Amino acid sequence: MDARALETLRTVGTQGGVTAAAAVLHLTPSAVSQQVALLQREVGVPLTGRVGRGLRLTPAGEALAEAAVDVAVALERARAACDEFLERPQGVVRVSAFQSGAQLLLPALLTRIEAIEGITLECTDEDVAQDDFVALTDRMDVVVAHRPDDGLGWAGGRAVRVVPLLREPLDVAVPHDHPLARRTEVRPEDLRDLPWIAVREGFPVATVLGAVGARSGSAPRIVHRVNDFHVVEALVEAGHGVSLLPRYTFGGGARVRLVPLVGVRAGRRIDALLRRDRAERLVVRRVLDELRALAVDIDTA
Amino acid sequence: MDARALETLRTVGTQGGVTAAAAVLHLTPSAVSQQVALLQREVGVPLTGRVGRGLRLTPAGEALAEAAVDVAVALERARAACDEFLERPQGVVRVSAFQSGAQLLLPALLTRIEAIEGITLECTDEDVAQDDFVALTDRMDVVVAHRPDDGLGWAGGRAVRVVPLLREPLDVAVPHDHPLARRTEVRPEDLRDLPWIAVREGFPVATVLGAVGARSGSAPRIVHRVNDFHVVEALVEAGHGVSLLPRYTFGGGARVRLVPLVGVRAGRRIDALLRRDRAERLVVRRVLDELRALAVDIDTA
DNA sequence: CGTGACGATGTAGCGTTGCTGCATGGATGC
DNA sequence: GCATCCATGCAGCAACGCTACATCGTCACG
């Protein structure tokens, strides 16, 4: 029973297909298919079943993939056991973050890590839909993800560890000459009939605006759907609508005001997502520690 | 980090050398040496150190070998997870037992297992010194071993599981025409100055006779050292001395009497020894269950 | 104190494994 | 019904891991 093959099976499960798994593992679909076939012959139970033109794990396959998590954890723990005998943790850690989270956290994280000899950070910004954050953990060591404050958790199951970093309030962004700009706070009722700039459906915090609308009594009038907060800011600045912007991330252009929203729970939670096996790596734990400390700094600032 | 290489390292540790490990793994010493060297390069810490012409694990090596246990366990658990989806457990299980234990347990175990479709038992009798039973677990799935009743446990550490099977009293074997033969029980004092037939030094239950001697006040006079109980029986029968024989195992030739010994704790414990990873295998667990049930039958008979 | 034996470890050579590239077959959607 | 996408089988090739042999160091014995 090859640990590598188990890892492959697991990836086929999480990525939902041979081709996707192959991309993550830097292999050809053929290689992945062969590994799974070999594993299947070894255990004597069908592990995958065709569904349409795709492929899904059978219950046996799921069980094996589940067990594969523990194998991966044990292997990483073994490596960590040796690293304890090295003076300092070393290696490269791949960190991904959604755009605004990257802007908020990655620069400071990099300076913190730079001070530590031997750790190399490979950063990426990944803007994916809410449901796709978990799948990123196959490619990345640490995935900084966000979700609505009221939302449920992440659907990674036992295989991914969720580390809460901070809660960031969402404020109402209005042009500096807008009637609401001088207010110290606004309530949902104040926002009725305003033109909204929202994020695209399915993306994190898309649901928050809906909650605000429900609280105000009428569905918000969405005039644009823009994911990049800088573009949003530019649009708000030019008077094309109002929006919800995360408080800490917002750069603070003078021509856009952020007004706290009260009377409704408007915020996002920023979490670090990582596979349990990756979490065993000493360097990863070190980076994660820095990330948590950094989040605390921001939260208490 | 290759699970196979970890297994190899572990075997080098338990077997105490490259050559011995190679024999167990059915490899050449060169292959074992290369695997360890590769592992060492990967982790960047020395795992082995020369001691004399031999070789021992460094602390880092010990730590890694320890962690390797969990890897092996996780792998076997993965296999077991699939086997759950097969109707019946199947596979071959290698069982070893010391001579008299084999005689006592293996025939009945085989008949029990024969009733189960798909399980094949490969039995061996292995007469080794007390300290060498644990090392057998590398080659065998289940090792039936024995130790003095008062002795300490087994020195396998976290890696081997010890399953107690039964306690067998050691009786005094005398010729049928010996003065003690008509007694219903004897005390240590009664045994003073008798000629003893003992097992070779270092072999299990060798220490028991010493305890009996200590209790009687004078060291026993050992005239022969014979390991095989049948030979012992023949010697006793011919009047060449008395001995201690296990009660259940003793065939009961009419010309030799077993007399219970009171006033001193004379017995041996029969345990099943197996590596924790092997213990995860479904078939192994099944065989072990039968073995335990069998032992209970004997104990209560 | 030299000699023989044993044990670990390099090196050369070879077989096997596992990969890529391409072709095929099945299922979907426009 | 055709184009597309996906999984899979097959041929070829590279790389890995094994064996066999040689070497070096250490220990026992004369």
Side-chain angles (χ1 to χ4, degrees):
Chain A
M1 175 101 44
D2 184 22
R4 213 167 127 67
L6 285 176
E7 182 65 28
T8 303
L9 178 76
R10 203 184 141 191
T11 312
V12 169
T14 56
Q15 298 290 320
V18 171
T19 308
V24 169
L25 299 170
H26 304 295
L27 289 175
T28 56
S30 185
V32 172
S33 185
Q34 286 171 40
Q35 280 194 31
V36 174
L38 217 69
L39 205 59
Q40 199 153 306
R41 181 172 316 169
E42 190 172 353
V43 298
V45 206
L47 298 172
T48 57
R50 300 292 290 259
V51 44
R53 56 185 165 190
L55 177 125
R56 211 179 309 169
L57 298 190
T58 60
E62 291 285 356
L64 190 55
E66 179 95 354
V69 174
D70 292 327
V71 174
V73 168
L75 276 171
E76 286 304 336
R77 206 168 288 195
R79 186 183 307 256
C82 282
D83 289 353
E84 300 278 0
F85 289 84
L86 286 171
E87 308 76 46
R88 21 183 88 268
Q90 59 177 22
V92 322
V93 177
R94 286 163 303 179
V95 179
S96 120
F98 57 94
Q99 201 279 330
S100 63
Q103 182 183 348
L104 176 65
L105 297 169
L106 292 192
L109 180 64
L110 273 166
T111 42
R112 275 167 175 262
I113 297 298
E114 265 171 9
I116 308 171
E117 190 76 33
I119 304 188
T120 310
L121 239 52
E122 287 181 15
C123 298
T124 328
D125 63 319
E126 296 277 354
D127 241 323
V128 299
Q130 180 93 39
D131 300 332
D132 298 339
F133 275 116
V134 171
L136 285 180
T137 57
D138 282 334
R139 283 194 293 125
M140 297 292 154
D141 293 311
V142 179
V143 172
V144 179
H146 55 160
R147 60 185 174 89
D149 193 10
D150 54 349
L152 313 112
W154 302 97
R158 223 173 49 86
V160 301
R161 173 172 298 175
V162 178
V163 178
L165 291 178
L166 52 85
R167 177 186 185 276
E168 188 172 15
L170 293 174
D171 292 335
V172 179
V174 295
H176 75 290
D177 52 359
H178 191 277
L180 292 174
R182 328 194 79 183
R183 300 269 289 271
T184 58
E185 59 180 46
V186 297
R187 310 190 60 80
E189 307 86 84
D190 304 324
L191 302 171
R192 227 174 303 203
D193 300 327
L194 287 180
W196 280 97
I197 300 166
V199 296
R200 280 199 291 282
E201 208 61 63
F203 276 74
V205 307
T207 58
V208 174
L209 186 55
V212 173
R215 190 68 181 227
S216 78
S218 68
R221 182 161 59 92
I222 296 172
V223 293
H224 301 297
R225 289 193 176 276
V226 174
N227 272 22
D228 187 303
F229 290 141
H230 293 97
V231 178
V232 171
E233 188 182 337
L235 290 173
V236 168
E237 183 179 331
H240 296 113
V242 300
S243 186
L244 286 174
L245 285 181
R247 185 179 301 170
Y248 306 140
T249 312
F250 177 65
R255 305 173 65 82
V256 171
R257 284 275 151 68
L258 288 196
V259 187
L261 180 58
V262 298
V264 66
R265 190 172 179 77
R268 62 172 178 178
R269 293 209 161 268
I270 301 182
D271 297 326
L273 270 44
L274 66 169
R275 287 174 24 163
R276 264 183 55 222
D277 52 331
R278 302 272 163 79
E280 292 294 336
R281 288 180 57 199
L282 229 54
V283 264
V284 172
R285 293 216 299 260
R286 191 82 180 77
V287 169
L288 203 61
D289 287 344
E290 293 296 337
L291 195 57
R292 274 218 303 263
L294 177 59
V296 168
D297 280 359
I298 294 174
D299 212 20
T300 58
Chain B
M1 175 101 41
D2 183 22
R4 213 167 127 65
L6 286 176
E7 181 64 29
T8 302
L9 178 76
R10 204 183 140 190
T11 311
V12 170
T14 57
Q15 297 291 319
V18 172
T19 307
V24 168
L25 299 170
H26 303 294
L27 289 174
T28 57
S30 185
V32 171
S33 184
Q34 285 172 40
Q35 281 192 29
V36 174
L38 216 71
L39 205 59
Q40 200 153 301
R41 180 172 315 169
E42 189 173 353
V43 298
V45 207
L47 298 172
T48 58
R50 299 292 289 260
V51 44
R53 56 185 164 190
L55 177 129
R56 212 178 309 166
L57 298 189
T58 61
E62 291 285 356
L64 189 55
E66 179 96 352
V69 175
D70 292 327
V71 174
V73 168
L75 277 172
E76 286 303 337
R77 207 168 286 194
R79 187 185 305 257
C82 282
D83 289 353
E84 299 278 359
F85 289 83
L86 286 171
E87 309 77 46
R88 21 183 86 270
Q90 59 178 23
V92 324
V93 177
R94 286 164 303 179
V95 179
S96 118
F98 57 94
Q99 201 278 331
S100 63
Q103 182 183 348
L104 178 65
L105 296 169
L106 293 191
L109 180 64
L110 274 165
T111 41
R112 276 165 174 264
I113 297 297
E114 266 171 8
I116 308 171
E117 191 76 33
I119 303 187
T120 310
L121 238 52
E122 286 182 15
C123 297
T124 327
D125 63 320
E126 296 275 355
D127 240 323
V128 299
Q130 180 94 40
D131 299 332
D132 297 339
F133 275 116
V134 171
L136 285 181
T137 56
D138 282 333
R139 283 193 292 124
M140 297 292 153
D141 294 310
V142 179
V143 172
V144 179
H146 56 161
R147 58 185 175 90
D149 193 11
D150 53 348
L152 313 113
W154 302 97
R158 223 174 48 84
V160 300
R161 173 172 299 175
V162 178
V163 178
L165 291 179
L166 52 86
R167 179 187 183 276
E168 187 172 15
L170 292 176
D171 293 334
V172 178
V174 295
H176 76 289
D177 53 359
H178 192 275
L180 292 174
R182 328 193 78 179
R183 299 272 288 273
T184 58
E185 60 180 44
V186 296
R187 310 189 61 79
E189 306 86 84
D190 304 325
L191 302 170
R192 226 174 302 202
D193 299 326
L194 287 179
W196 279 98
I197 301 166
V199 297
R200 280 198 291 281
E201 209 60 63
F203 278 74
V205 307
T207 58
V208 175
L209 186 54
V212 173
R215 191 66 179 225
S216 77
S218 68
R221 183 162 58 92
I222 295 172
V223 293
H224 301 297
R225 289 195 176 272
V226 173
N227 272 22
D228 186 305
F229 290 140
H230 292 99
V231 177
V232 171
E233 189 183 336
L235 290 174
V236 169
E237 183 179 333
H240 295 114
V242 301
S243 186
L244 287 174
L245 285 180
R247 183 178 303 169
Y248 306 140
T249 311
F250 177 66
R255 306 173 65 81
V256 170
R257 284 276 150 69
L258 288 197
V259 187
L261 181 59
V262 298
V264 66
R265 191 172 179 76
R268 62 173 180 178
R269 293 210 162 266
I270 301 181
D271 297 327
L273 270 44
L274 65 169
R275 287 174 26 164
R276 264 182 56 222
D277 51 332
R278 302 272 164 78
E280 293 294 336
R281 287 180 57 198
L282 230 54
V283 264
V284 173
R285 293 216 298 260
R286 192 82 179 79
V287 169
L288 204 61
D289 287 345
E290 293 296 338
L291 195 56
R292 274 217 303 264
L294 176 59
V296 168
D297 281 359
I298 294 174
D299 213 18
T300 57

